[in-house]
Amino acid sequence: MTEAEKRSEEWRQMLSAPLFNLETRLLSRLASDPRCLLCNSPYGKPFGPILRRIGYGRSARYPQLCRPCFRHFERHPGGAEVLITVLFADVRGSTAIAERQTAEEFRRVLEGFYRHVTDVVADERGVIDKFLGDGVMALFIPSFTRTMHAARALAAGRRILAEADLPVGVGVNTGPAFTGFLGPSAEVASFTAVGDAVNVAHRLGEAAAAGEMLAASTTFLAAEQQHPTGEGVEPRTLVVKGREQPVEAWSIR
């Protein structure tokens, strides 16, 4: 096995299942939530401040990861193809909203939206990939969520719609994506995912109307949930831009 293959396999193992070694077992016993998504090191009192003095504590670039875990990613860039769930949340009618406000007012509106989505995603053990103007992309990775990543993403999507102060559409999709710490150099590299699964989630997010979540059928299968039923729920077959095969999804309002 080449060095590149070894690194890819290490990433696959790290992303596919929660770390389970002596360090993570000990850290998980310290009841000081919140904590690092990967190694379980606590951030809250009373143990968080103590561990921060010996090198733990939140990473400045990725607060949901501790400094040692993020430094490991920086020293060992790369990734692997793993099954994840991707969520896109977009503000609908943002052009019209911006037209009625000053640039500073619109900035405050978007920052409130970013905070809302970030808080919900963090509650469901997801990680923010990037902010895209009036949208947010989030990843739900098996080793981070520790339970079904698809179910976590669906729960996040429902909360984002229910609690948002703005008209928002959400797209959710589950599939294999190349996930890891990617970029031409450590200074500009970031934790992200690429592939068809990401593109489909993006397109579903674009197609969703205000107050609607379009969730791919693959997500419900991965979550081991029955397809949703009830008022405001209907099956959809979408022809996604740039993709030959249609996407089977469910509309949830």
Side-chain angles (χ1 to χ4, degrees), residues 23-38:
E23 179 186 20
T24 59
R25 290 200 299 270
L26 291 174
L27 290 172
S28 65
R29 292 176 179 272
L30 304 178
S32 301
D33 289 338
R35 57 185 68 239
C36 173
L37 292 180
L38 192 59

Side-chain angles (χ1 to χ4, degrees), residues 11-121:
W11 270 96
R12 184 174 294 105
Q13 293 177 6
M14 181 169 56
L15 297 173
S16 298
L19 294 178
F20 192 70
N21 53 35
L22 179 60
E23 179 186 20
T24 59
R25 290 200 299 270
L26 291 174
L27 290 172
S28 65
R29 292 176 179 272
L30 304 178
S32 301
D33 289 338
R35 57 185 68 239
C36 173
L37 292 180
L38 192 59
C39 74
N40 264 333
S41 63
Y43 299 147
K45 294 179 179 179
F47 298 106
I50 297 171
L51 288 173
R52 194 157 52 242
R53 294 174 186 171
I54 59 174
Y56 286 89
R58 295 179 186 270
S59 160
R61 285 183 63 184
Y62 284 87
Q64 288 173 266
L65 298 177
C66 69
R67 285 177 286 181
C69 285
F70 184 72
R71 282 197 299 269
H72 177 80
F73 288 158
E74 284 188 306
R75 290 195 298 266
H76 306 282
E81 186 172 303
V82 293
L83 188 71
I84 66 171
T85 301
V86 185
L87 179 148
F88 276 89
D90 293 89
V91 177
R92 292 290 171 263
S94 60
T95 301
I97 295 173
E99 184 181 15
R100 298 191 297 268
Q101 299 178 329
T102 67
E104 175 62 21
E105 289 171 338
F106 186 58
R107 178 194 66 81
R108 289 198 295 268
V109 168
L110 283 182
E111 284 192 349
F113 169 65
Y114 292 159
R115 281 195 300 272
H116 168 55
V117 176
T118 299
D119 289 345
V120 171
V121 167

Side-chain angles (χ1 to χ4, degrees), residues 196-253:
D196 182 61
V198 178
N199 296 336
V200 169
H202 191 189
R203 296 305 184 190
L204 290 177
E206 290 179 330
E212 179 183 37
M213 176 169 65
L214 289 175
S217 294
T218 55
T219 300
F220 288 96
L221 290 173
E224 296 183 6
Q225 294 182 6
Q226 294 293 321
H227 287 166
T229 58
E231 186 178 352
V233 175
E234 63 179 24
R236 297 274 294 275
T237 299
L238 295 100
V239 178
V240 176
K241 181 180 177 182
R243 196 172 189 269
E244 294 181 2
Q245 298 297 321
V247 177
E248 300 297 329
W250 288 84
S251 168
I252 303 170
R253 293 180 178 271

Side-chain angles (χ1 to χ4, degrees), residues 124-187:
E124 297 298 338
R125 299 188 68 87
V127 61
I128 298 296
D129 182 314
K130 58 178 68 74
F131 298 106
L132 301 160
D134 60 357
V136 182
M137 172 180 170
L139 307 178
F140 294 82
I141 300 166
S143 61
F144 290 2
T145 60
R146 302 183 182 275
T147 56
M148 292 178 180
H149 51 94
R152 289 281 198 175
L154 289 170
R158 289 188 174 99
R159 279 190 58 192
I160 289 169
L161 292 183
E163 301 169 12
D165 294 327
L166 293 168
V168 177
V170 175
V172 181
N173 182 50
T174 301
F178 192 90
T179 307
F181 197 71
L182 310 177
S185 66
E187 289 75 20

